[in-house]
């Protein structure tokens, strides 16, 4: 883990996952907790092991993309891993990255998802290649759409997904 890539916000420390950290997360909660030296919130991830394995495969295939995949949000006061988030790879040729995030239910409705998203947005826009950030949500008002709206995203399109049905596509353009 490269210390300079950690994103600090008021209540969170967003730890970028390298291959070793992702392997620990895939092994299980006990190993991950010990490796990070933190507690884990109940059901800290709904994305699951498949998403972690996918990120690991991408980092191993393209080590230069380290920092453009998974981040683990550690709640500073509780020293607890409370979710996951990050990007779906480094900026594309046209300068877009896609953002995703999740917060354990016991930590919802405290502004932490918004805080995590803002930290990830700030990190992305520190890279001059990034012109816009995309995100996708289910096609209904929910906690995630509220987070994106608070962060300045605009709903730009409705898209049919083979996995999720109708989804909304959101965009935040570099200020």
């Amino acid at each position: 883990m490269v210390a300079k890539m950690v994103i600090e916000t008021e209540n969170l420390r967003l730890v970028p996952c390298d291959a070793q950290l992702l392997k620990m997360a895939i092994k299980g909660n006990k190993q991950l907790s010990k490796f990070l030296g933190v507690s884990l919130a109940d059901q800290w991830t709904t994305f699951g092991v498949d998403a972690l394995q996918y990120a690991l495969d991408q980092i191993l295939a393209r080590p230069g993309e380290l920092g453009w995949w998974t981040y683990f949000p550690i709640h500073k006061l509780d020293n607890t891993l409370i979710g996951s988030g990050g990007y779906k790879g480094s900026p594309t040729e046209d300068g877009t990255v896609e953002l995703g995030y999740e917060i354990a239910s016991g930590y919802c409705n405290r502004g932490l998802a918004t805080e995590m998203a803002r930290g990830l947005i700030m990190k992305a826009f520190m890279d001059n290649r990034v012109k816009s950030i995309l995100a996708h949500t289910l096609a209904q008002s929910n906690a995630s759409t509220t987070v994106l709206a608070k962060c300045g995203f605009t709903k730009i399109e409705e898209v049919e997904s083979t996995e999720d049905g109708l989804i909304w596509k959101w965009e935040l353009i570099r200020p």
Side-chain angles (χ1 to χ4, degrees):
M1 162 173 53
V2 180
K4 70 177 183 176
M5 290 192 336
V6 170
I7 302 167
E8 293 281 344
T9 67
E10 182 180 350
N11 299 293
L12 302 173
R13 187 173 67 249
L14 305 178
V15 179
C17 292
D18 59 14
Q20 186 180 16
L21 182 50
L22 286 166
K23 287 175 186 176
M24 287 297 141
I26 291 165
K27 280 186 180 178
N29 287 345
K30 189 175 180 180
Q31 293 88 337
L32 178 60
S33 176
K34 185 176 179 184
F35 184 76
L36 277 175
V38 302
S39 300
L40 304 181
D42 291 337
Q43 299 175 348
W44 66 270
T45 181
T46 57
F47 292 166
V49 173
D50 289 346
L52 299 172
Q53 185 63 56
Y54 181 78
L56 174 61
D57 293 344
Q58 298 306 310
I59 288 171
L60 292 174
R62 295 188 295 280
E65 289 196 0
L66 193 62
W68 287 107
W69 290 94
T70 304
Y71 282 75
F72 286 160
I74 310 299
H75 189 268
K76 292 176 185 179
L77 185 62
D78 298 347
N79 196 38
T80 300
L81 173 61
I82 64 165
S84 71
Y87 313 98
K88 292 184 179 180
S90 62
T92 63
E93 284 187 24
D94 68 349
T96 61
V97 292
E98 186 170 340
L99 181 71
Y101 48 86
E102 64 176 341
I103 293 286
S105 61
Y107 285 82
C108 288
N109 299 314
R110 298 190 200 179
L112 297 169
T114 302
E115 187 174 327
M116 178 168 52
R118 286 182 174 146
L120 292 166
I121 290 164
M122 178 193 67
K123 189 262 183 208
F125 282 143
M126 287 174 65
D127 186 316
N128 290 329
R129 298 175 297 169
V130 178
K131 307 291 183 245
S132 69
I133 302 172
L134 301 176
H136 292 86
T137 64
L138 296 177
Q140 60 193 27
S141 294
N142 56 44
S144 201
T145 62
T146 301
V147 167
L148 294 174
K150 284 181 183 177
C151 291
F153 281 77
T154 303
K155 184 177 80 170
I156 59 168
E157 191 176 0
E158 292 187 353
V159 182
E160 192 67 36
S161 162
T162 54
E163 294 174 11
D164 299 314
L166 191 64
I167 58 173
W168 290 343
K169 183 176 181 179
W170 298 77
E171 182 178 44
L172 177 64
I173 296 172
R174 175 187 285 281

